[in-house]
């Protein structure tokens, strides 16, 4: 009896097992890949090298306006001669439009202080003190190291012939030294040394912008081909001489720039202050023409 009952229980358990529904395996959720976070662009210090060229330097203002319109703001500015004048004012915080307003209101007489040297002792017809005062007033008497942007002005040591990069001290005095075209402005004496126009050694100061820490250099060359330069006045003759001397220097110097902007100034002379508006426009047009290339190279340099 006991054996029969055991057999019935075993049979019931077997039948119950055959009628049960098998459990499906638990599905594990697919792993979620972490979101891809693009590396931020590298911080690039943009430098601006502004070349010399007397009144042709108004073109620098147009270049600055075009750069600002595209959201490109240099952190380092180095100028030679006319480039130092514009560069100092820009480094002080003046925008491109403010620079244009200043240029259009500028009276050439405000920077012309005629010297009256004794016969046979002339070293320049202009003393340059008026230019120094004009620049210092424009930058609110801020020394170079206190300007809003890092700024340098290139001059030539008259005794050694070596370039000097001013980065500290009286802003107007440094600009005056950088702009002291021989025979036009008197040499500028600072301490025991005398300085003249920086265009003799660095017509477009690209290497000095690099030395000051720029990663991306925009160079503005306002010189011209020698056969295109007008030679109407004595200043034009001097600027033509500088152009001839500076061609080989520029050939090597401009190679180190990431982009070179050369405004089409035609036969505009170094003394043609009446052509300032056309020069500013030429600067804007030249910068706009290379803007796609400039942006592409800048973007490539920002890649991590």
């Amino acid at each position: 009896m006991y054996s029969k009952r055991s057999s019935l229980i075993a049979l019931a358990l077997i039948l119950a097992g055959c009628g049960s529904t098998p459990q499906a395996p638990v599905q594990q959720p697919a792993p979620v890949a972490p979101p891809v976070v693009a590396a931020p662009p590298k911080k690039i210090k943009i430098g601006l090298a502004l070349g010399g060229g007397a009144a042709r330097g108004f073109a620098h203002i147009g270049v600055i306006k075009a750069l600002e319109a595209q959201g490109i703001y240099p952190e380092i500015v180095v100028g030679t001669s006319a480039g130092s004048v514009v560069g100092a004012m820009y480094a002080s915080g003046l925008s491109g439009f403010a620079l244009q307003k200043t240029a259009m209101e500028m009276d050439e007489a405000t920077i012309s202080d005629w010297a009256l040297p004794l016969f046979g002792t002339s070293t320049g017809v202009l003393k340059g003190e008026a230019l120094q005062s004009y620049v210092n007033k424009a930058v609110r008497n801020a020394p170079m190291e206190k300007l809003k942007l890092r700024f340098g002005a290139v001059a030539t040591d008259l005794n050694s012939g070596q370039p000097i990069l001013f980065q500290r001290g009286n802003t107007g005095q440094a600009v005056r030294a950088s702009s002291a075209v021989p025979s036009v402005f008197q040499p500028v004496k600072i301490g025991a040394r005398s300085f003249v126009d920086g265009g003799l050694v660095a017509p477009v100061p690209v290497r000095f912008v690099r030395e000051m820490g720029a990663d991306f250099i925009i160079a503005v060359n306002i010189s011209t081909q020698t056969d295109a330069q007008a030679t109407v006045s004595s200043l034009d003759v001097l600027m033509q001489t500088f152009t001839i001397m500076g061609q080989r220097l520029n050939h090597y110097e401009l190679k180190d720039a990431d982009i070179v902007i050369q405004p089409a100034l035609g036969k505009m002379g170094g003394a043609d202050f009446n052509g300032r508006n056309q020069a500013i426009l030429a600067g804007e047009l030249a910068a706009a023409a290379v803007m796609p290339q400039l942006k592409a190279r800048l973007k490539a340099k920002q890649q991590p």
Side-chain angles (χ1 to χ4, degrees):
M1 181 70 179
Y2 178 79
S3 176
K4 184 176 180 181
R5 181 178 295 176
S6 298
S7 297
L8 290 173
I9 292 172
L11 179 61
L13 289 173
I14 292 172
L15 291 174
C18 291
S20 65
T21 302
Q23 294 295 318
V26 177
Q27 295 291 328
Q28 297 295 327
V32 178
V36 178
V37 179
K42 290 192 299 184
K43 173 63 176 174
I44 297 294
K45 286 186 179 180
I46 300 175
L48 190 59
L50 303 178
R56 297 165 68 89
F58 288 110
H60 292 315
I61 297 173
V63 171
I64 290 170
K65 284 180 62 183
L67 293 175
E68 288 183 338
Q70 296 297 320
I72 299 171
Y73 295 92
E75 297 180 49
I76 300 170
V77 184
V78 180
T80 291
S81 196
S84 73
V85 178
V86 176
M89 295 182 184
Y90 181 51
S92 74
L94 293 179
S95 68
F97 281 101
L99 287 171
Q100 181 172 8
K101 182 176 184 295
T102 300
M104 299 312 294
E105 294 174 349
M106 178 183 181
D107 182 357
E108 188 181 349
T110 61
I111 60 170
S112 301
D113 48 354
W114 299 96
L116 296 173
L118 296 175
F119 179 76
T121 63
S122 175
T123 56
V125 296
L126 297 176
K127 291 184 289 185
E129 293 172 359
L131 174 62
Q132 178 174 327
S133 297
Y134 178 83
V135 172
N136 276 334
K137 182 179 179 181
V139 303
R140 298 180 177 85
N141 292 310
M144 299 178 76
E145 65 273 18
K146 297 295 185 180
L147 297 176
K148 293 184 178 180
L149 302 178
R150 291 189 62 196
F151 171 65
V154 180
T156 304
D157 187 312
L158 185 58
N159 297 319
S160 69
Q162 295 299 309
I164 177 72
L165 177 66
F166 290 102
Q167 298 183 67
R168 300 182 63 82
N170 189 304
T171 303
Q173 187 178 52
V175 169
R176 175 187 172 192
S178 180
S179 306
V181 178
S183 297
V184 176
F185 285 95
Q186 294 178 350
V188 179
K189 191 169 184 178
I190 302 176
R193 302 161 71 183
S194 294
F195 300 94
V196 292
D197 195 288
L200 294 169
V201 288
V204 186
V206 174
R207 60 187 165 122
F208 293 103
V209 180
R210 187 74 70 190
E211 286 180 10
M212 287 181 66
D215 304 303
F216 187 89
I217 299 177
I218 302 169
V220 187
N221 180 17
I222 56 172
S223 65
T224 185
Q225 296 299 319
T226 55
D227 58 356
Q229 179 66 56
T231 52
V232 178
S233 67
S234 58
L235 179 58
D236 291 333
V237 173
L238 280 171
M239 298 312 299
Q240 173 82 327
T241 304
F242 277 17
T243 298
I244 295 170
M245 294 172 58
Q247 280 183 333
R248 185 166 294 277
L249 288 173
N250 276 344
H251 175 72
Y252 292 104
E253 190 111 7
L254 293 175
K255 283 183 177 180
D256 196 35
D258 292 278
I259 201 79
V260 177
I261 300 174
Q262 182 151 350
L265 296 169
K267 291 183 177 294
M268 179 181 180
D272 186 7
F273 281 79
N274 292 327
R276 68 191 77 180
N277 199 42
Q278 290 79 5
I280 293 172
L281 178 59
E284 288 188 67
L285 294 175
V290 302
M291 195 61 68
Q293 184 182 16
L294 189 160
K295 285 185 173 181
R297 292 187 179 181
L298 182 57
K299 184 177 180 180
K301 208 137 195 177
Q302 291 173 325
Q303 295 302 313

